[in-house]
Amino acid sequence: MKLDKFDREILRVLQKDATVSMAELSQRVGLSHTPCWRRVKRLESDGIIKRKVTLLDGKKLNLGVSVFIYVTLKNHDEESLNGFEAAVQHIAEVVECHTTSGEKDYLLKVVVESIEEYELLLKSKLTHLPCVDHLSSTFALKQVKNTTELPIKNQ
C-alpha cells in the first residue's frame, strides 16, 4: 500500500499517543476532520493500524525481570514448529516469540517478578513445551531503550 505524507504523519502521531482526539490529530497533520477520520479508518481496515493498547510500566507492577531465552528444538518438521508456536501462545509470561536464523530456532522474551518465579516457569512450563531440546537464558540487567514506535520514513 502506498502511504502519502499525511498517512505517515497520522501514523507517527498515533504511535506516540493513540488517545489523541480526531480534532487534535487533524490539526497536527494538517487535514480537516473528515478526511483525517477516513484515512485513519482506511489504515485500520488495511491492517496497518492493528490495534490500540495501553502501555504499562512493568516495574511498577512488580514485573521487573526480563529474560531472553534461546530455544533449540529437537525436530524441525512443520508439525513440531507449529506445535511449539501454538503452545507458547498460552504462556502469559512470554511476551515475545521470534523465529531466528542460525543455530537457535526461537528467541523468547519473558517478563516475571523475580528470578525465583522464572525458575518456576522454566521448570513447570518452558521445559515442557513441545519438541524443546535446549533452552539458554540471559537475564537483562537494565533496559536501555524500549519503544513501540516504528521508524516511519518520510518517503
Side-chain angles (χ1 to χ4, degrees), residues 39-141:
R39 284 173 181 265
V40 170
K41 291 300 171 194
R42 181 177 45 83
L43 292 166
E44 290 173 346
S45 67
D46 289 347
I48 293 171
I49 297 175
K50 292 169 50 172
R51 64 182 185 263
K52 297 174 185 171
V53 300
T54 299
L55 301 177
L56 305 176
D57 185 329
K59 286 185 180 180
K60 290 183 179 176
L61 293 168
N62 199 27
L63 294 168
V65 177
S66 294
V67 188
F68 297 92
I69 306 144
Y70 278 108
V71 180
T72 306
L73 300 183
K74 296 175 189 172
N75 303 314
H76 296 90
D77 58 273
E78 186 175 358
E79 183 179 338
S80 298
L81 298 173
N82 290 342
F84 176 84
E85 291 175 13
V88 81
Q89 301 296 323
H90 301 289
I91 301 174
E93 296 86 352
V94 176
V95 295
E96 294 181 30
C97 176
H98 304 269
T99 58
T100 60
S101 62
E103 295 179 16
K104 309 299 182 192
D105 300 312
Y106 292 92
L107 175 64
L108 307 180
K109 180 181 178 185
V110 166
V111 177
V112 291
E113 290 182 9
S114 64
I115 293 172
E116 293 79 15
E117 185 181 345
Y118 174 68
E119 181 182 18
L120 180 62
L121 177 71
L122 180 68
K123 290 177 179 179
S124 66
K125 295 181 182 177
L126 298 177
T127 57
H128 299 289
L129 285 167
C131 298
V132 168
D133 184 43
H134 182 71
L135 299 169
S136 176
S137 305
T138 300
F139 291 83
L141 299 177

